[in-house]
Coordinates of all heavy atoms in Angstrom, one line a residue:
R115 N 0.8 -1.2 0.0 CA 0.0 0.0 0.0 C 0.9 1.3 0.0 O 0.4 2.4 -0.3 CB -0.9 0.0 1.2 CG -1.9 -1.1 1.3 CD -2.9 -1.1 0.1 NE -3.9 -2.1 0.2 CZ -4.8 -2.4 -0.7 NH1 -4.7 -1.8 -1.9 NH2 -5.7 -3.3 -0.6
S116 N 2.1 1.1 0.3 CA 3.0 2.3 0.4 C 3.5 2.8 -0.9 O 3.6 2.0 -1.9 CB 4.1 2.0 1.4 OG 4.9 0.9 0.9
G117 N 4.0 4.0 -0.9 CA 4.7 4.5 -2.1 C 3.8 4.5 -3.4 O 2.6 4.7 -3.3
E118 N 4.4 4.2 -4.5 CA 3.6 4.2 -5.8 C 3.3 2.8 -6.3 O 2.8 2.6 -7.4 CB 4.5 4.9 -6.8 CG 4.8 6.3 -6.5 CD 5.7 6.9 -7.6 OE1 5.3 7.1 -8.7 OE2 6.9 7.2 -7.2
Y119 N 3.4 1.8 -5.4 CA 3.2 0.4 -5.8 C 1.8 0.2 -6.4 O 1.6 -0.5 -7.4 CB 3.4 -0.6 -4.7 CG 4.9 -0.7 -4.3 CD1 5.3 -0.1 -3.1 CD2 5.8 -1.2 -5.1 CE1 6.6 -0.2 -2.7 CE2 7.2 -1.3 -4.8 CZ 7.6 -0.7 -3.5 OH 8.9 -0.8 -3.2
Q120 N 0.8 0.8 -5.8 CA -0.6 0.6 -6.3 C -0.8 1.1 -7.7 O -1.4 0.5 -8.5 CB -1.6 1.2 -5.3 CG -1.8 0.4 -4.0 CD -2.8 1.1 -3.1 OE1 -2.4 2.0 -2.3 NE2 -4.0 0.6 -3.1
E121 N -0.2 2.3 -7.9 CA -0.3 2.9 -9.2 C 0.4 2.1 -10.2 O 0.0 2.0 -11.4 CB 0.3 4.4 -9.1 CG 0.1 5.2 -10.4 CD 0.7 6.6 -10.2 OE1 1.0 7.0 -9.1 OE2 0.9 7.3 -11.2
I122 N 1.6 1.6 -9.9 CA 2.4 0.8 -10.8 C 1.6 -0.5 -11.2 O 1.5 -0.9 -12.3 CB 3.8 0.4 -10.2 CG1 4.6 1.7 -10.1 CG2 4.5 -0.6 -11.1 CD1 5.9 1.6 -9.3
I123 N 1.0 -1.2 -10.2 CA 0.3 -2.4 -10.4 C -0.9 -2.1 -11.3 O -1.3 -2.9 -12.2 CB -0.1 -3.1 -9.1 CG1 1.2 -3.6 -8.4 CG2 -1.1 -4.2 -9.3 CD1 0.9 -4.2 -7.0
K124 N -1.6 -1.0 -11.0 CA -2.8 -0.7 -11.8 C -2.4 -0.5 -13.2 O -3.1 -1.0 -14.1 CB -3.4 0.6 -11.3 CG -4.6 1.1 -12.0 CD -5.2 2.4 -11.4 CE -6.4 2.8 -12.2 NZ -7.0 4.1 -11.7
N125 N -1.2 0.1 -13.5 CA -0.8 0.2 -14.9 C -0.4 -1.1 -15.5 O -0.6 -1.4 -16.7 CB 0.4 1.1 -14.9 CG 0.9 1.5 -16.3 OD1 0.2 2.3 -16.9 ND2 2.0 1.0 -16.8
S126 N 0.2 -2.0 -14.6 CA 0.5 -3.4 -15.1 C -0.8 -4.1 -15.7 O -0.7 -4.8 -16.7 CB 1.1 -4.2 -14.0 OG 2.3 -3.7 -13.5
L127 N -1.9 -3.9 -15.0 CA -3.1 -4.6 -15.3 C -3.7 -4.1 -16.6 O -4.5 -4.8 -17.3 CB -4.1 -4.6 -14.2 CG -3.7 -5.3 -12.9 CD1 -4.7 -5.1 -11.8 CD2 -3.4 -6.7 -13.1
I128 N -3.4 -2.8 -17.0 CA -3.9 -2.3 -18.2 C -2.9 -2.3 -19.4 O -3.2 -1.9 -20.5 CB -4.5 -0.9 -18.0 CG1 -3.4 0.1 -17.6 CG2 -5.6 -0.8 -17.0 CD1 -3.8 1.6 -17.5
T129 N -1.7 -2.9 -19.1 CA -0.7 -3.1 -20.1 C -0.6 -4.6 -20.3 O -1.4 -5.2 -21.0 CB 0.6 -2.4 -19.8 OG1 1.1 -2.7 -18.5 CG2 0.4 -0.8 -19.9
W130 N 0.5 -5.2 -19.7 CA 0.7 -6.6 -19.9 C -0.4 -7.5 -19.3 O -0.6 -8.6 -19.8 CB 2.1 -7.0 -19.3 CG 2.3 -6.9 -17.9 CD1 3.0 -5.8 -17.2 CD2 2.0 -7.8 -16.8 NE1 3.1 -6.1 -15.9 CE2 2.5 -7.3 -15.6 CE3 1.4 -9.0 -16.8 CZ2 2.3 -8.0 -14.4 CZ3 1.2 -9.7 -15.6 CH2 1.7 -9.2 -14.4
G131 N -1.1 -7.0 -18.3 CA -2.2 -7.8 -17.7 C -3.3 -8.1 -18.7 O -4.1 -9.0 -18.6
T132 N -3.4 -7.3 -19.8 CA -4.5 -7.5 -20.8 C -4.1 -8.7 -21.7 O -4.9 -9.1 -22.5 CB -4.7 -6.3 -21.7 OG1 -3.5 -6.0 -22.4 CG2 -5.1 -5.1 -20.8
L133 N -2.9 -9.2 -21.6 CA -2.4 -10.3 -22.4 C -2.9 -11.7 -21.9 O -2.6 -12.7 -22.6 CB -0.9 -10.3 -22.6 CG -0.3 -9.0 -23.1 CD1 1.2 -9.1 -22.9 CD2 -0.7 -8.7 -24.5
K134 N -3.6 -11.7 -20.8 CA -4.0 -13.0 -20.3 C -5.1 -13.6 -21.1 O -5.8 -13.0 -21.9 CB -4.5 -12.8 -18.8 CG -5.8 -12.0 -18.7 CD -6.2 -11.7 -17.3 CE -7.4 -10.9 -17.2 NZ -7.8 -10.6 -15.8
N135 N -5.3 -14.9 -21.0 CA -6.4 -15.7 -21.6 C -7.2 -16.4 -20.6 O -7.0 -16.2 -19.4 CB -5.8 -16.6 -22.7 CG -4.8 -17.7 -22.1 OD1 -5.1 -18.2 -21.1 ND2 -3.7 -17.9 -22.8
D136 N -8.1 -17.3 -21.0 CA -9.0 -18.0 -20.0 C -8.2 -18.9 -19.1 O -8.7 -19.3 -18.1 CB -10.0 -18.8 -20.8 CG -11.0 -17.9 -21.5 OD1 -11.1 -16.7 -21.1 OD2 -11.7 -18.4 -22.4
N137 N -7.0 -19.2 -19.5 CA -6.1 -20.1 -18.6 C -5.1 -19.4 -17.8 O -4.2 -20.0 -17.2 CB -5.5 -21.2 -19.5 CG -6.4 -22.1 -20.1 OD1 -7.3 -22.7 -19.5 ND2 -6.3 -22.4 -21.4
I138 N -5.2 -18.1 -17.8 CA -4.2 -17.3 -17.0 C -5.0 -16.3 -16.1 O -5.9 -15.6 -16.6 CB -3.3 -16.4 -17.9 CG1 -2.5 -17.3 -18.9 CG2 -2.3 -15.6 -17.0 CD1 -1.7 -16.5 -19.9
V139 N -4.8 -16.4 -14.8 CA -5.4 -15.5 -13.8 C -4.4 -14.7 -13.2 O -3.3 -15.1 -12.9 CB -6.1 -16.4 -12.8 CG1 -6.8 -15.5 -11.7 CG2 -7.2 -17.3 -13.4
V140 N -4.7 -13.4 -13.1 CA -3.7 -12.4 -12.5 C -4.4 -11.7 -11.4 O -5.4 -11.1 -11.5 CB -3.3 -11.4 -13.6 CG1 -2.3 -10.4 -13.0 CG2 -2.7 -12.1 -14.8
Y141 N -3.7 -11.7 -10.2 CA -4.1 -10.9 -9.0 C -2.8 -10.2 -8.5 O -1.7 -10.7 -8.6 CB -4.6 -11.8 -7.9 CG -6.0 -12.4 -8.3 CD1 -6.1 -13.7 -8.8 CD2 -7.1 -11.7 -8.1 CE1 -7.3 -14.3 -9.1 CE2 -8.4 -12.2 -8.4 CZ -8.5 -13.5 -8.9 OH -9.7 -14.1 -9.2
N142 N -3.0 -9.1 -7.8 CA -2.0 -8.5 -7.0 C -2.4 -8.8 -5.5 O -3.5 -8.9 -5.2 CB -1.8 -7.0 -7.3 CG -3.1 -6.3 -7.3 OD1 -3.9 -6.4 -8.1 ND2 -3.3 -5.4 -6.3
Y143 N -1.4 -9.0 -4.7 CA -1.7 -9.3 -3.3 C -1.1 -8.3 -2.3 O 0.0 -7.8 -2.5 CB -1.3 -10.7 -2.9 CG 0.2 -11.1 -3.0 CD1 1.0 -11.1 -1.8 CD2 0.8 -11.4 -4.2 CE1 2.3 -11.5 -1.9 CE2 2.1 -11.8 -4.3 CZ 2.9 -11.8 -3.1 OH 4.2 -12.2 -3.1
Y144 N -1.9 -8.0 -1.3 CA -1.5 -7.0 -0.3 C -1.8 -7.5 1.1 O -2.6 -8.4 1.3 CB -2.4 -5.7 -0.4 CG -2.3 -4.9 -1.7 CD1 -3.3 -5.0 -2.7 CD2 -1.2 -4.1 -1.9 CE1 -3.2 -4.2 -3.8 CE2 -1.0 -3.4 -3.1 CZ -2.1 -3.4 -4.0 OH -2.0 -2.7 -5.2
G145 N -1.1 -7.0 2.1 CA -1.3 -7.2 3.5 C -2.2 -6.2 4.1 O -3.0 -5.5 3.4
N146 N -2.2 -6.0 5.4 CA -2.9 -5.0 6.1 C -4.4 -5.1 6.0 O -5.1 -4.1 5.9 CB -2.5 -3.6 5.7 CG -1.0 -3.3 6.0 OD1 -0.4 -4.0 6.9 ND2 -0.4 -2.4 5.3
H147 N -4.9 -6.4 5.9 CA -6.4 -6.6 5.8 C -6.8 -7.4 7.0 O -6.0 -8.1 7.6 CB -6.7 -7.3 4.5 CG -8.1 -7.2 4.1 ND1 -8.7 -6.0 3.8 CD2 -9.0 -8.2 3.9 CE1 -10.0 -6.2 3.5 NE2 -10.2 -7.5 3.5
D148 N -8.1 -7.4 7.3 CA -8.6 -8.1 8.5 C -8.8 -9.6 8.3 O -9.0 -10.4 9.2 CB -9.8 -7.4 9.0 CG -11.0 -7.3 8.0 OD1 -10.7 -7.6 6.8 OD2 -12.1 -7.0 8.4
K149 N -8.9 -10.0 7.0 CA -9.0 -11.4 6.7 C -8.5 -11.7 5.3 O -8.3 -10.8 4.5 CB -10.5 -11.9 6.8 CG -11.4 -11.2 5.9 CD -12.9 -11.7 6.1 CE -13.8 -11.0 5.1 NZ -15.2 -11.5 5.2
N150 N -8.4 -13.0 5.0 CA -7.9 -13.3 3.6 C -9.1 -13.4 2.7 O -10.0 -14.2 2.9 CB -7.2 -14.7 3.7 CG -6.0 -14.7 4.6 OD1 -5.4 -13.7 4.9 ND2 -5.7 -15.9 5.2

């Protein structure tokens, strides 16, 4: 959540993240949450 990581990841998902197909799943993972 710190720095520019969220902005960078958001950009990843609209650039290389668009290259996924039905057999590729992409998530980013963060801590600081109350449950999984």
Side-chain angles (χ1 to χ4, degrees):
R115 297 297 185 190
S116 59
E118 297 176 68
Y119 292 110
Q120 287 178 278
E121 187 179 345
I122 293 168
I123 291 172
K124 182 179 179 181
N125 190 72
S126 297
L127 297 175
I128 61 174
T129 54
W130 64 261
T132 62
L133 304 172
K134 65 184 180 181
N135 60 43
D136 290 342
N137 292 314
I138 304 175
V139 178
V140 181
Y141 290 99
N142 49 291
Y143 64 101
Y144 296 107
N146 298 337
H147 199 60
D148 56 352
K149 63 179 180 178
N150 302 331

